[in-house]
Amino acid sequence: MMPGSREPLLAQDLRHWLTIGFDRVVLVVSRTVTALTRLLDIVTLIETDHRVQIVFTTDPANAAVFRRGVEAFLTELDGVVVSWDQAVAGRFDLIIAASENDRLEQLTGPILLVPHGIGFQKHYPGSRTVAGMNPNRLLHNGRVVPTAIGISHIDQHARLASRCPPAGPRAALIGDPALDRLLASRYCRSLYRAELGGTGRTLVLLASTWGPESLLGRFPHLPEQIATALPVDDYRVAAVLHPGISAAHGAWQVRAWLARATAAGVRVISPDRWQSALIAADCVVSDQGSIALYAAALDIPLLLTPGDSGQTVPDSPLALLAAKAARLDVTGDLWRQLGAAGTAYPDQSWHDLALMAAGLPGESAAVLRALLYRLLNLPEPDEAADYPPVAPPPRTAEPPVALVVGVTEHTNTEHDDVVLHRFPAAEHGPPRPGLDYRHLVVDAAKGSVRQLAAASVLTCHSPDDFPAIAAELLAQWPDARLVATVRDTATCLVHTRHELLALTVPAPPAGFDPLLLASLAFVRASQRRPLTGQHNLRCGDEVVTVQVGRPS
């Protein structure tokens, strides 16, 4: 493209090389990962149209504080990315942005500016300026920069007009694409839950925005504390972190800070999959971020962390929700609180508060697509507008590295059952009073030296040469009572200091963990009871019959 040309980008440079003869070029301005995830919801309404080519850009010379991660996200998308200089030199049929802080006045083409959260709920740090309504950026030389300013609720029109009067007439009611995509994806809930290991369990989702007033800022050990308070056979814990946390501290550092939590089984969800994690959740623990409002809109039980946020706009729906929602007592019994919260669904007033931030529920796809095609000066496609379901989280969950296991109910004398409870073992876990025959189960390949030295049961992943490896581990760690491995979905091989046994469940339930059977062996040995023969084992909601004998 020649310097200074205002030809549509791509059309001139590649006009002899293109396969699809598109008519319009849309530029997506990617300021932060958060903004880009919001914009991708909008892009789904036009991305399949052969008349439209989507390109992306970012402006490193006007970088956001939380810009880190944008290039990696764009690389993963594998779309066409143009430099900011190319974008300034070109002309576009539509420009979509999610921050008024971008240098949008340098771009040529109709501009749609949308919020990058659920409405306008936050002030910029250290100011009383509402994020998304900064008059110093909405105007340039007295001219309103955006062609249209998307608002999610009609009440926001008056707020915009009062803060930047010239921008008031540019307001366009579009609803909330993120909320409507959540609503459109709820039929996939069982799939999302399966990917997160939540099938048959209560899935607790922790949601942290950024900053010192956030969940992670105020309570950095809370993910680990919650994970270790909950029995692993009844609960799964996942966490969604605002991309600004990694942008400020670096993804490596955040992973390091959360290493104990992830070792305890907490699944950290990538920012672009927060919607599927929220849909899957049975209970949400959140600070005063957007996810709290989305949880209320979806009628998901919600507990807010203690403390208020100075960034929340007073009298906004988020502020009203914060005043109404129950709070988590971080020093109290977390198992009891989360168990109660999981069955205490919000009343209608919570739902109504959320819809004060996001109007037109279920209608934004039709309204927003009509606006997009009007700005593109193209007729809309004939088919109805809708959002595709969000992608599920990748199935990469790892079991806890170490477990505290024991019997919290005495053996049933009538049925001779063993009732086991397993909890992640971690530095910030709660004490376990009343846990009979308590023992530590540690993955021999992942545990720390301290964990391995304290373990009564070691697990490994080598069923083929198991006897030799088990003998080596028992020699290396003299306090270990036995070593276990999984032979198949129904059988656990156990090597004590005296014998090799196979513990088999003839009819294992779906998702059954055979390593449970190693703890059965430990309990029976501690009780000085015979292990060979038949046993009844209960863990969580499952009751199984176990056959114990010599391996075949």
Side-chain angles (χ1 to χ4, degrees), residues 218-290:
R218 281 189 166 122
F219 312 104
H221 297 300
L222 188 59
E224 181 184 352
Q225 289 173 316
I226 286 179
T228 55
L230 303 175
V232 298
D233 298 289
D234 298 308
Y235 288 86
R236 286 290 184 268
V237 181
V240 173
L241 308 182
H242 190 286
I245 300 174
S246 291
H249 297 285
W252 173 85
Q253 182 63 77
V254 175
R255 286 195 300 271
W257 282 334
L258 291 174
R260 289 195 179 100
T262 53
V266 175
R267 174 80 174 277
V268 180
I269 308 299
S270 58
D272 60 322
R273 304 296 174 90
W274 69 270
Q275 287 161 297
S276 55
L278 179 60
I279 292 169
D282 295 298
C283 177
V284 173
V285 177
S286 178
D287 52 29
Q288 290 182 39
S290 293

Side-chain angles (χ1 to χ4, degrees), residues 358-378:
L360 304 179
E363 301 178 39
S364 75
V367 173
L368 180 54
R369 193 181 75 170
L371 174 61
L372 293 171
Y373 278 97
R374 188 160 64 249
L375 293 171
L376 284 167
N377 194 26
L378 280 177

Side-chain angles (χ1 to χ4, degrees), residues 401-415:
V401 170
L403 292 167
V404 175
V405 187
V407 179
T408 54
E409 299 178 31
H410 292 291
T411 297
N412 185 304
T413 56
E414 181 181 355
H415 298 290

Side-chain angles (χ1 to χ4, degrees), residues 501-513:
L501 296 169
L503 289 77
T504 301
V505 176
F512 179 73
D513 180 4

Side-chain angles (χ1 to χ4, degrees), residues 8-11 14 18-28 43 46-56 78-82 91-96 373 376 378:
L9 198 65
L10 293 182
L14 302 176
L18 297 173
T19 299
I20 303 297
F22 56 83
D23 300 313
R24 302 289 190 271
V25 179
V26 175
L27 179 70
V28 177
V43 167
I46 57 174
E47 65 186 7
T48 61
D49 192 328
H50 290 181
R51 300 170 297 173
V52 177
Q53 167 75 51
I54 312 289
V55 300
F56 300 84
D78 204 18
V80 175
V81 179
V82 300
R91 173 176 59 82
F92 299 91
D93 300 290
L94 176 60
I95 299 158
I96 310 175
Y373 278 97
L376 284 167
L378 280 177

